[in-house]
Amino acid sequence: MLARYLPILDWGRSYNKQALSNDLIAAVIVTIMLIPQSLAYALLAGLPPEMGLYASIAPIILYAIFGTSRALAVGPVAVVSLMTAASIGQIAEAGTAGYIIAALTLAGLSGAILLAMGVFRLGFLANFLSHPVIAGFITASGVIIAASQLKHILGVSAGGHNLLELVESLWHHLPETNPYTLVLGVTATAFLFWVRKGLKPALRKMGMSPTLADVAAKAGPVAAVVVTTLVVWLFGLNGQGVAIVGEVPQSLPPLTMPSFDLDLIRALAVPALLISVIGFVESISVAQTLAAKKRQRIDPDQELIGLGAANIGAAFTGGFPVTGGFSRSVVNYDAGAETPAAGAYTAVGLAIAALALTPLIFFLPKATLAATIIVAVLSLVDFSILNKTWGYSKADFIAVAATILLTLAMGVEVGVSAGVLLSIALYLYKTSRPHIAEVGLMQDGSEHFRNIKRYEVLTHPAMVTLRVDGSLYFANARYLEDYILDRVVGCDGIKHVVLMFSAVNEVDMSALESLEAINHRLASMGIALHLSEVKGPVMDRLKRAHFLEELTGKVFLSQYAAMSELGPVVGKAAPNAAE
């Protein structure tokens, strides 16, 4: 029972020297990558750079204790950092103490929400979010994030909560572009793009081992940080208007306290919920993908507890909302991490960096951090989701397109809210119109029944068999009622209607009332209503009501038995591949 809530007691029992060696190597590689990335995401959230390091230390350790993924790396991520800036930017001004307190409080609220969801086993709620819709939101957010960082590349003051505001602000401030900042920013961005795709193959051609080439490629952002920092320091470019990080406190994460002011909590409650949901969906997707590669298991409810603990830890150690990141987790996995201990070792490396290396980044240009963000988030942008959904499902396409457009035009809060609502609306739309097929007996000598519009099947002119492909509940019960009545009205020869319930797993009270209405309406037309292939749990529930007593027809064990008793098959339907 204790291991259920403390997975460290599970994998910790079998921890050995080989796992230690692999985890340490992975930790070194991930630490190198996370130093500039953590600073950059703090900048994206509008917070002091050191808070990015703080948010990557205690949360990783807490997740290692409570999380179930062996490879997930927890910390600041681009989308959550942007949502953090959008949420608290409406409450306090960036750079003020109130802004920092709001960030701490947002992390605490997010942690509490995730923890509560985990304790009450509500991880299934994330299944209601359509993955195409989430992909559309992340794509639009990536575009906004990249656009928001252009001000640092250009060296101008610009702002906005959506793409339109950002573009307009950048356009007005374009004449103020600092040429030194522009050269640094463009060069760093181009270098990082090349590092991502071309450095590793180039090193391999030079004879370097795959492991060293991989480490060198992951260290690319660190090289960009070192070189641009030296350039600014040597040539005194900060005196020429190049914005730099400046003084960063040389310390371990401090003990902090989120605010318990009720007005602030009410203002942050909805953003905290949205951040929790989006962060969990992103994290669980990455965790399950990586776990599947090693045939490991992820417990979604325990993941909620792990992420909740990580965010609460961030709130009390000077951080801001965190979740499992895609890029850092993939690097962690590829580097050979075997257990969550790799994350704990990464936290130690980042703590050393926060304690000893922060004076070295005084002259680090913000343009380099902006370049790091741009290169990272553009890998998340995938407009091909529009083409995929258009070809597969027009309803999914409309939902994805609406999410992307609303996010770009109105900001991330409206976009993510729209994404959640559209996911639920999409589910309700699809389930409110269950597929109903009129079926007949196959002519191959079997007892199988198939759609009369797809196969040449045998039917009876006085009998209509409808296969209901979905559970019946309040949202779709009337649809079934209308479908049946539309089918039989005007067909005087019909004497029997058989509902084939082989795919029906649930019949709620509203659906029961609709079945009763169908029974009465058909009886008034001289048509008997029958059921076939009713599942045990559904039959048990129907027996508790008076429906079976009032049913004008019978309940058959199989559809073949229904057809055999109600009349011989004499008709034939032609195939129609269009449906």
Side-chain angles (χ1 to χ4, degrees), residues 371-382:
T372 302
I373 294 174
I374 290 172
V375 174
V377 300
L378 286 184
S379 65
L380 303 175
V381 175
D382 180 18

Side-chain angles (χ1 to χ4, degrees), residues 194-483:
W194 176 76
V195 164
R196 181 176 287 263
K197 297 293 184 181
L199 180 58
K200 186 175 179 180
L203 294 175
R204 290 288 293 121
K205 288 181 180 179
M206 295 170 59
M208 186 176 290
S209 68
T211 302
L212 289 177
D214 189 60
V215 173
K218 298 296 188 300
V222 176
V225 166
V226 172
V227 172
T228 55
T229 301
L230 287 174
V231 168
V232 172
W233 173 62
L234 288 172
F235 295 98
L237 296 183
N238 56 311
Q240 302 296 323
V242 174
I244 59 174
V245 169
E247 185 175 356
V248 176
Q250 189 176 358
S251 68
L252 293 172
L255 290 177
T256 54
M257 182 69 68
S259 173
F260 293 95
D261 179 73
L262 292 180
D263 291 333
L264 180 60
I265 291 175
R266 277 194 292 267
L268 294 175
V270 173
L273 176 62
L274 295 176
I275 287 174
S276 301
V277 172
I278 294 298
F280 174 63
V281 170
E282 180 179 354
S283 179
I284 198 68
S285 298
V286 176
Q288 289 177 336
T289 299
L290 297 179
K293 293 182 178 181
K294 289 190 175 181
R295 298 188 179 183
Q296 296 170 347
R297 180 179 174 274
I298 297 298
D299 182 348
D301 294 317
Q302 185 60 32
E303 283 298 290
L304 284 166
I305 293 175
L307 292 174
N311 276 278
I312 290 175
F316 286 92
T317 57
F320 55 98
V322 298
T323 192
F326 177 76
S327 59
R328 67 182 66 191
S329 298
V330 170
V331 170
N332 196 38
Y333 177 86
D334 290 342
E338 289 195 19
T339 72
Y345 303 147
T346 300
V348 173
L350 292 172
I352 294 172
L355 193 61
L357 301 181
T358 51
L360 302 178
I361 61 173
F362 182 91
F363 290 100
L364 172 61
K366 291 184 177 181
T368 302
L369 296 180
T372 302
I373 294 174
I374 290 172
V375 174
V377 300
L378 286 184
S379 65
L380 303 175
V381 175
D382 180 18
F383 283 106
S384 67
I385 189 68
L386 292 171
N387 184 51
K388 293 175 183 176
T389 52
W390 175 261
Y392 189 78
S393 168
K394 297 301 185 291
D396 281 325
F397 171 80
I398 293 172
V400 172
T403 301
I404 291 176
L405 290 175
L406 286 171
T407 303
L408 293 176
M410 305 187 71
V412 291
E413 285 194 347
V414 173
V416 71
S417 301
V420 172
L421 294 176
L422 284 170
S423 295
I424 297 173
L426 196 59
Y427 168 78
L428 292 176
Y429 172 76
K430 291 179 178 178
T431 59
S432 67
R433 300 171 61 86
H435 181 258
I436 300 174
E438 185 169 345
V439 298
L441 180 64
M442 292 291 290
Q443 302 183 67
D444 57 2
S446 69
E447 298 181 2
H448 296 156
F449 287 77
R450 293 292 184 267
N451 193 329
I452 66 171
K453 295 182 178 181
R454 293 180 180 271
Y455 299 90
E456 289 189 359
V457 293
L458 299 174
T459 62
H460 191 284
M463 179 179 171
V464 173
T465 299
L466 300 175
R467 189 188 68 219
V468 183
D469 295 333
S471 294
L472 298 175
Y473 71 117
F474 64 90
N476 63 18
R478 185 58 185 267
Y479 178 78
L480 174 64
E481 187 176 343
D482 293 339
Y483 189 98

Side-chain angles (χ1 to χ4, degrees), residues 494-541:
I494 297 177
K495 299 300 179 183
H496 303 280
V497 170
V498 183
L499 295 182
M500 189 174 173
F501 269 26
S502 55
V504 177
N505 298 316
E506 176 79 18
V507 176
D508 74 355
M509 194 66 189
S510 297
L512 176 64
E513 292 176 355
S514 285
L515 289 175
E516 292 173 343
I518 292 168
N519 187 49
H520 291 309
R521 292 285 296 275
L522 292 178
S524 66
M525 301 179 190
I527 301 173
L529 176 65
H530 309 269
L531 303 180
S532 72
E533 302 187 12
V534 183
K535 293 184 176 180
V538 176
M539 180 61 78
D540 292 341
R541 183 162 290 185

Side-chain angles (χ1 to χ4, degrees), residues 49-287:
E50 65 270 15
M51 289 186 69
L53 293 174
Y54 299 159
S56 299
I57 297 176
I60 299 180
I61 296 175
L62 288 168
Y63 179 81
I65 297 172
F66 294 100
T68 60
S69 172
R70 302 291 180 98
L72 191 70
V74 172
V77 299
V79 173
V80 171
S81 297
L82 177 64
M83 294 177 69
T84 298
S87 302
I88 60 182
Q90 301 176 4
I91 296 173
E93 185 178 351
T96 63
Y99 192 92
I100 294 175
I101 291 174
L104 298 173
T105 306
L106 187 62
L109 282 174
S110 180
I113 291 171
L114 289 165
L115 199 60
M117 291 177 66
V119 170
F120 291 103
R121 297 179 176 272
L122 299 179
F124 70 91
L125 292 177
N127 297 332
F128 287 95
L129 287 176
S130 162
H131 282 275
V133 168
I134 295 300
F137 168 72
I138 291 176
T139 290
S141 298
V143 173
I144 292 178
I145 291 170
S148 71
Q149 297 308 297
L150 290 178
K151 63 182 180 182
H152 297 296
I153 299 294
L154 298 173
V156 300
S157 298
H161 294 95
N162 57 61
L163 185 61
L164 299 178
E165 292 178 357
L166 284 168
V167 170
E168 181 182 8
S169 181
L170 286 168
W171 178 258
H172 286 308
H173 291 87
L174 196 60
E176 304 168 11
T177 299
N178 184 292
Y180 301 102
T181 302
L182 180 62
V183 170
L184 284 172
V186 171
T187 303
T189 303
F191 172 74
L192 292 175
F193 271 118
W194 176 76
V195 164
R196 181 176 287 263
K197 297 293 184 181
L199 180 58
K200 186 175 179 180
L203 294 175
R204 290 288 293 121
K205 288 181 180 179
M206 295 170 59
M208 186 176 290
S209 68
T211 302
L212 289 177
D214 189 60
V215 173
K218 298 296 188 300
V222 176
V225 166
V226 172
V227 172
T228 55
T229 301
L230 287 174
V231 168
V232 172
W233 173 62
L234 288 172
F235 295 98
L237 296 183
N238 56 311
Q240 302 296 323
V242 174
I244 59 174
V245 169
E247 185 175 356
V248 176
Q250 189 176 358
S251 68
L252 293 172
L255 290 177
T256 54
M257 182 69 68
S259 173
F260 293 95
D261 179 73
L262 292 180
D263 291 333
L264 180 60
I265 291 175
R266 277 194 292 267
L268 294 175
V270 173
L273 176 62
L274 295 176
I275 287 174
S276 301
V277 172
I278 294 298
F280 174 63
V281 170
E282 180 179 354
S283 179
I284 198 68
S285 298
V286 176

